[in-house]
Amino acid sequence: MASHRKPRPGGTSGAGLRTPALATAALTSMAVFSQTAEAAARTDHAKPSLEEVEKKVDDLYRQAESATEKYNAAKERTGRQRGRVDALRDELARRTERLNKAREELGSFAAAQYRTGTAAPGTATFLLANDPQEYFDQSQLMNRLTSREKRAVDAYVGEQAATMKDRRQASESLRTLDASQHDLRTAKATVQRKLASARELLSTLTAQEKARLAAIERQKQQEAARRAAELAKQQAARQQAAASSSTGSASGSAGSTASSSYDTKAEKALAFARAQIGKPYVWGATGPDSYDCSGLTQAAWKAAGVTLPRTTYDQVDAGTTVSLADARPGDLIFFYDDISHVGVYTGNGMMIHAPKPGAYVREESIYYGGESIIHSVVRPG
């Protein structure tokens, strides 16, 4: 007897029905895992090493300091140019007032001549013209003027020429001022951008990485201190040799007097610099609460009665260049090829300086960044 049960539809069994779903889920999980792994690999690849971060941050700080000196120079130029523009404006106002008085006097002559009918042809036009120089060369007209009128004409012509010259100078000075202000804004934006990039890089470090970075910095400082001690020994030996070979001649006495005068000033400069230790580096600052590198050296030597220029670029030319081996306390130590950093030498291979953004005025080895970055030594005065 035939069965009345309906045949099962073709295909897989019940267990088989779950297989595609499980396979799909497994494939999805594998895909997600693969994407996550790839993303992690990309992240690990993109993240710089601690040494790379350190180098990038140091480079950014140095670029910021270089831009700071450009900012200082632009700020100084802008100040000078603004003073010149103000002075020219004041002088132009005085010139314009004198010109108006001369014009009024000429106008009174023209009016009087018109009333009496004694005016020569073209006299009124001559006297009231914006540029009477065109008429000045017409001798026939000038011969008909009185000596008083001629003096008034001469005064008017002179004042007008001077006024036009002042206007041209003022216009040129304004253009120069605009250019200086543009340089100032550009340098300021560069400093801020470099500092922001450095902060962003440092923010990516973990606490452990920051600790490692601090350890690397300590190692550098130890090496710098070792090099400073070596230089101190070399300098002491040179001084001892120089003292033993001194002849005590008249020329030697004069040299000794000059040396003593410098040492007295240097002591004052160093005393001031030491009193600033612990104050923050702030770009563009000249004290009394914060300094950048050239702001500190300028203020230190000002305390000794010596005026230094504002920027490292100018301070490097404000004295006599000496060798590093002959460096004496108070000398200025300049760094990098672009002369963007400076410190005050304290002797024994050490200096006081405002190091960089985020740091404080401190005394440390002149080899803090390696020997290769030392540019020159200058003795102010």
Side-chain angles (χ1 to χ4, degrees):
M1 186 170 118
S3 172
H4 295 286
R5 287 182 299 180
K6 294 181 180 180
R8 291 179 179 176
T12 59
S13 65
L17 286 172
R18 292 193 297 270
T19 302
L22 289 173
T24 301
L27 289 172
T28 302
S29 297
M30 290 179 63
V32 170
F33 177 79
S34 176
Q35 292 172 358
T36 303
E38 289 177 1
R42 285 195 300 270
T43 301
D44 290 341
H45 178 72
K47 184 176 180 179
S49 67
L50 186 61
E51 290 73 18
E52 289 173 334
V53 170
E54 180 195 27
K55 185 179 184 306
K56 287 181 180 179
V57 169
D58 286 344
D59 287 345
L60 285 168
Y61 278 148
R62 202 183 80 71
Q63 291 169 22
E65 190 170 35
S66 179
T68 293
E69 289 305 309
K70 292 178 181 178
Y71 170 86
N72 292 338
K75 185 177 181 180
E76 197 170 46
R77 285 196 307 271
T78 299
R80 287 196 303 266
Q81 202 59 40
R82 185 175 289 114
R84 176 168 172 75
V85 167
D86 290 343
L88 284 170
R89 281 173 171 168
D90 291 342
E91 178 60 22
L92 183 58
R94 289 190 291 269
R95 287 281 187 191
T96 302
E97 184 178 357
R98 290 196 293 268
L99 181 63
N100 289 337
K101 288 181 179 179
R103 188 190 297 273
E104 289 173 2
E105 186 175 5
L106 290 177
S108 66
F109 289 152
Q113 290 175 343
Y114 179 79
R115 288 193 301 269
T116 60
T118 59
T123 302
T125 304
F126 167 69
L127 294 174
L128 298 176
N130 287 328
D131 185 7
Q133 186 65 48
E134 178 183 345
Y135 296 89
F136 185 80
D137 297 328
Q138 298 181 15
S139 59
Q140 180 180 5
L141 177 59
M142 291 302 295
N143 289 336
R144 298 191 182 189
L145 298 178
T146 66
S147 59
R148 182 183 175 190
E149 290 169 343
K150 289 179 181 179
R151 285 195 300 272
V153 168
D154 289 341
Y156 176 69
V157 170
E159 288 297 340
Q160 188 185 53
T163 300
M164 294 301 294
K165 180 180 178 181
D166 284 350
R167 286 175 179 168
R168 287 193 298 271
Q169 289 180 341
S171 179
E172 292 172 1
S173 294
L174 279 172
R175 284 194 294 271
T176 304
L177 177 59
D178 286 342
S180 297
Q181 289 175 328
H182 176 269
D183 292 343
L184 187 65
R185 290 190 296 270
T186 300
K188 182 177 181 178
T190 301
V191 174
Q192 293 173 329
R193 187 170 62 254
K194 299 298 182 182
L195 294 181
S197 297
R199 287 192 296 268
E200 183 178 355
L201 268 175
L202 290 173
S203 69
T204 65
L205 299 180
T206 64
Q208 185 178 9
E209 287 173 328
K210 290 178 180 178
R212 285 176 55 200
L213 201 60
I216 293 173
E217 181 65 20
R218 284 193 296 273
Q219 290 177 353
K220 288 183 177 180
Q221 292 297 323
Q222 290 170 0
E223 174 59 20
R226 186 188 67 78
R227 291 288 294 112
E230 290 179 357
L231 178 62
K233 289 180 182 179
Q234 295 171 6
Q235 290 180 329
R238 288 172 64 90
Q239 291 171 0
Q240 185 175 3
S244 62
S245 64
S246 176
T247 60
S249 61
S251 59
S253 298
S256 177
T257 300
S259 175
S260 176
S261 174
Y262 177 79
D263 290 342
T264 299
K265 294 177 181 178
E267 286 176 6
K268 293 180 180 179
L270 287 173
F272 180 92
R274 286 195 177 94
Q276 312 313 307
I277 290 177
K279 294 183 179 180
Y281 175 104
V282 174
W283 66 275
T286 57
D289 299 321
S290 58
Y291 297 89
D292 61 19
C293 67
S294 57
L296 175 64
T297 52
Q298 184 188 47
W301 271 98
K302 183 179 180 180
V306 177
T307 300
L308 293 181
R310 174 64 182 94
T311 68
T312 53
Y313 315 128
D314 293 325
Q315 288 182 10
V316 74
D317 295 322
T320 303
T321 301
V322 298
S323 68
L324 181 58
D326 291 327
R328 286 161 52 185
D331 291 350
L332 302 180
I333 312 290
F334 293 90
F335 298 87
Y336 304 109
D337 291 339
D338 61 355
I339 319 175
S340 57
H341 189 68
V342 64
V344 185
Y345 190 59
T346 60
N348 298 323
M350 304 292 286
M351 68 175 174
I352 296 173
H353 68 147
K356 60 184 179 181
Y360 297 83
V361 175
R362 65 193 183 204
E363 183 172 11
E364 66 179 332
S365 169
I366 62 174
Y367 299 104
Y368 76 103
E371 187 171 2
S372 62
I373 69 170
I374 298 175
H375 178 274
S376 57
V377 182
V378 172
R379 189 159 297 154

